[in-house]
Amino acid sequence: MELPDVGELTPPNRTLMGPGPSDVHPRVLKAMSTPLVGHLDPSFIEIMDEVQDLLRYTFRTDNQWTIPVSGTGSAAMEAAFGNLVEPGDTVLVPTNGYFGGRMAEMAERAGGETVTVDAPWGEPLRPDDVAAAFDEQQPDVFGFVHAETSTGALQPDVPELTAIAHEHDAYVVADTVTSLGGVELRVDDWDIDVAYSGGQKCLSTPPGASPLTLNDRAMDKILSREESTRSWYLDLSLLEGYWGDDRSYHHTAPITNVYAIREGLRLIAEEGIENRWERHLEMAGAIKAGVEAMGLELNPEDEYWLPSLNAVRVPDGVTDGEVIEYLLSEYDIEIAGGLGDLSGEIFRIGCMGHSCRPGNVAYLMTAFADALETLGADVDAEAGITAMRNEL
Ligand SMILES: *Cc1c(COP(=O)(O)O)cnc(C)c1O
């Protein structure tokens, strides 16, 4: 077999303003280049404790059961559904975006039967519809997506939704992949039983270690399962041995990713979680003001606007693909197009973590205005840039 010439790794230097991954903070990159220790080294045990404390701070929870799952956001998602859902459980999932569909697939693989609560793509779930679904279907587990990255819609009324579920003795699983560390999220105050997230959205870390938190009520259900969960790797009753008091070997933690998330979370604690939510509102607010002044529209209503993922409707005169391609080739900027029901209809512009800062916002808006104008959309580029600058 002939080996092709494999040169030194020199990826392009992109500015990541899509639905994830987002820019990794330089301090995180630095933490990742520090030497490895063993996953049972006393110094690493201390690091694990620190990561768990920092995760509790960021999730706004006192849950003892708070860990970084080895793997990307989908691994934490599968850990949540795979452990909580037992064969025969009824699981209520939303149909208002891509990730509700993924919840259904995971719940079914765990032996659950799924039923749905519907809302159009780009809109949140209505509490009345959730209540009706509970009355009709009596689900055991209810999953919802707090920040739907596929549509740019934020789910408001979370405490109302969790109250409905708890009146019916059900468990609530929240997908907070694109909200944790970016938009207001209060796991304990909002009475969320299980929440999972990912590193590469608002935490300024690479994919690889993914936050998961569960309250005692959810853990009790998991620890009293009759049948073991189908995944050995993500079995929380086994992972308890490593992340709980014993600190005994289950699988080798991805040491470098744990270093990364520790530093990413430390940055959040330094900034202050509420300041961080505020920064996302301000920076994404400048993007929103800019695109609106250009003559474009955001897809979701203002009430459901998701600062960490801005869904902008594609104007007449251009296709999403040509604009995305122009930004990548001319400016090294990554944004994305729509998925599913919104395919071809929206641009998805992320503003997450370290990507969410004035330099990036100004660069993106200038480049986006150029792309739209050059490719023939009828937009007022100058008005957009002025409006963006006024907000920064
Ligand atoms: C990105 C994302 C996921 C999946 O995370 P991966 O890191 O891609 O595995 C799940 N839910 C939402 C809302 C996301 O944005």
Side-chain angles (χ1 to χ4, degrees), residues 115-187:
V115 292
T116 60
V117 49
D118 301 324
W121 278 49
E123 288 183 30
L125 300 179
R126 312 275 161 187
D128 285 351
D129 294 335
V130 173
F134 264 97
D135 289 340
E136 233 167 84
Q137 312 280 2
Q138 300 295 332
D140 304 289
V141 175
F142 166 50
F144 77 92
V145 182
H146 184 218
E148 189 33 277
T149 324
S150 65
T151 67
L154 179 74
Q155 177 65 52
D157 311 317
V158 173
E160 265 184 78
L161 303 186
T162 58
I164 295 165
H166 291 145
E167 278 160 26
H168 290 80
D169 281 330
Y171 297 80
V172 178
V173 182
D175 179 319
T176 66
V177 177
T178 296
S179 59
L180 182 70
V183 303
E184 183 176 9
L185 167 69
R186 300 179 186 275
V187 166

Side-chain angles (χ1 to χ4, degrees), residues 321-384:
E322 62 185 351
V323 173
I324 291 165
E325 147 64 22
Y326 186 95
L327 289 175
L328 197 67
S329 60
E330 300 297 315
Y331 289 98
D332 269 318
I333 294 178
E334 180 179 287
I335 68 164
L339 293 173
D341 289 3
L342 293 172
S343 177
E345 311 250 321
I346 57 170
F347 297 111
R348 291 185 300 149
I349 302 176
C351 192
M352 307 181 187
H354 187 56
S355 287
C356 170
R357 59 190 203 275
N360 274 32
V361 169
Y363 182 48
L364 167 91
M365 284 300 301
T366 314
F368 191 46
D370 171 35
L372 292 170
E373 231 176 16
T374 304
L375 296 170
D378 181 19
V379 292
D380 188 343
E382 252 168 71

Side-chain angles (χ1 to χ4, degrees), residues 19 72-75 77 99 102 145 147-149 175 177-178 196 198 200-201 207:
T72 70
S74 303
M77 182 173 189
F99 290 102
R102 186 173 293 185
V145 182
E148 189 33 277
T149 324
D175 179 319
V177 177
T178 296
Y196 60 83
Q200 80 274 27
K201 309 281 167 97

